Amino acid sequence: MLKGEKVGLRARHDDDIPVLRSELYDDHVNGSRAEGRPWRPVTPGSNDSRLVVDDNEPGHVPFSVVELASNTLVGTATLWGIDNHARAAHIGLGLLPSARGTGYGTDVVSVLCYYGFTVRGLHRLQIETLADNTAMLRSAERNGFVREGVLRSSAWVLGEFLDEVILGLLAEDWKPGLLT
């Protein structure tokens, strides 16, 4: 398990799947905001790639996020779009509704940076998020990510186009444990 101040990132367990399905992926508003594709319900028992881990997919490393104090599942974290040639990847996370506003997001981003830069030897990490996702923007910036651009009206979310913000962090600019 990779450990931060408040959370740990571990492998996905079978008993995580029903919780993630009901609290994250069955919520059409959250699902529509988190995915780059239209929301659709997840059929129980399906091998949906958002829930079931394919250990043969080298460009996608999903984690379950647990609170360290109680070992309770609080969300998901992912390093995705891993490009070993360019030594770059993207960061994604999703917290259960009960875990939002607790500072876990900032800690998850910190642990993913450690994993990407130290464990994987990557050079660049990138985050794309909706411009109104202040929690993700704050978590990224507290970990040293820099806003690099805005994709105007690039995301279709629940009947309207929204802007997306692109943030990046280079290995040489990363400061482990930086939380401001």
Side-chain angles (χ1 to χ4, degrees), residues 19-163:
V19 175
L20 296 173
R21 179 185 300 109
S22 67
E23 293 196 40
L24 281 182
Y25 300 110
D26 281 350
D27 175 356
H28 79 282
V29 173
N30 181 67
S32 295
R33 292 180 56 80
E35 296 282 330
R37 56 188 178 202
W39 176 85
R40 63 178 178 77
V42 178
T43 305
S46 74
N47 287 329
D48 189 286
S49 62
R50 295 172 291 173
L51 294 169
V52 178
V53 175
D54 179 357
D55 287 325
N56 295 316
E57 174 54 53
H60 181 86
V61 182
F63 296 95
S64 286
V65 180
V66 295
E67 178 187 51
L68 288 175
S70 65
N71 201 36
T72 303
L73 179 69
V74 295
T76 66
T78 309
L79 202 66
W80 63 276
I82 300 169
D83 180 337
N84 288 320
H85 178 70
R87 294 178 45 209
H90 303 260
I91 284 178
L93 66 99
L95 294 176
L96 303 180
S98 62
R100 296 175 188 155
T102 59
Y104 294 155
T106 300
D107 204 28
V108 170
V109 172
S110 176
V111 178
L112 284 172
C113 288
Y114 169 81
Y115 178 71
F117 292 134
T118 303
V119 176
R120 298 291 298 243
L122 298 176
H123 174 70
R124 174 187 168 78
L125 294 175
Q126 181 170 310
I127 295 173
E128 301 87 5
T129 191
L130 296 175
D132 66 354
N133 188 348
T134 56
M136 187 65 206
L137 293 169
R138 190 177 311 118
S139 293
E141 289 170 343
R142 285 180 176 163
N143 279 285
F145 280 80
V146 174
R147 291 184 195 214
E148 297 179 332
V150 174
L151 301 174
R152 298 180 306 137
S153 294
S154 64
W156 177 252
V157 179
L158 299 172
E160 66 179 317
F161 285 104
L162 299 175
D163 294 349

